[in-house]
Amino acid sequence: MNTMITRRFSEADTEAVVSLWKACGLVVPWNNPHLDIQRKMTERPELFLVGEIDGVVMSSIMGGYEGHRGWINYMAVAPEWQKQHYGQQLVKTIEEKLLALGCPKINLQVRSTNKPVIAFYESAGFSIDQAVSMGKRIIPD
């Protein structure tokens, strides 16, 4: 297995990360990935990480914490690098960073139809909460 270097996202990574998200099916019409990155860079940018192998960005994870719950968003590993434990490394790294901030629980959202990703998170110790996820868009992208 090649060694993945995990580091903080830099604005120079933007196009590589957006391409990664598209390759992993994370970009949807109602979320502009460039705006999502801009917004993230204003709020705890130290929790936005990329993984690279041989200088090529091949994974990402966007963590968040507002003092009550931590969040994982945009966790992606390029298809050719999946199923090699890089995703588990990213999740562990963000868990450690959130724990250092005093975060008691991490939440994330996965489309209910995405069974492989649900299985991935279950293997990482996550479980389905008996809660309904609700949202309301207040700024259209």
Side-chain angles (χ1 to χ4, degrees), residues 39-88:
R39 290 172 178 141
K40 177 60 188 166
M41 296 308 290
T42 67
E43 190 66 36
R44 293 203 183 263
E46 71 278 8
L47 295 177
F48 188 6
L49 308 176
V50 296
E52 61 181 22
I53 294 177
D54 297 329
V56 176
V57 172
M58 44 66 73
S59 63
S60 75
I61 193 165
M62 188 185 285
Y65 182 54
E66 81 306 87
H68 180 64
R69 292 282 185 261
W71 284 89
I72 291 176
N73 295 292
Y74 283 116
M75 203 289 282
V77 176
E80 63 271 24
W81 294 105
Q82 291 176 6
K83 299 185 188 310
Q84 298 180 50
H85 303 288
Y86 297 116
Q88 291 173 349

Side-chain angles (χ1 to χ4, degrees), residues 7 9 14-16 18 27 31 34 36-37 51 60-61 65-68 78-79 92 94 96 99 111 119-120 124 139:
R7 63 171 173 78
F9 170 89
T14 299
E15 293 311 315
V18 170
V27 175
N31 281 49
H34 291 90
D36 286 347
I37 289 171
S60 75
I61 193 165
Y65 182 54
E66 81 306 87
H68 180 64
K92 182 175 181 187
I94 208 71
E96 290 168 355
L99 184 60
R111 289 181 190 94
F120 164 80
I139 298 176

Side-chain angles (χ1 to χ4, degrees), residues 5-21:
I5 305 298
T6 304
R7 63 171 173 78
R8 187 172 164 171
F9 170 89
S10 115
E11 293 199 28
D13 299 319
T14 299
E15 293 311 315
V17 167
V18 170
S19 293
L20 169 70
W21 292 351

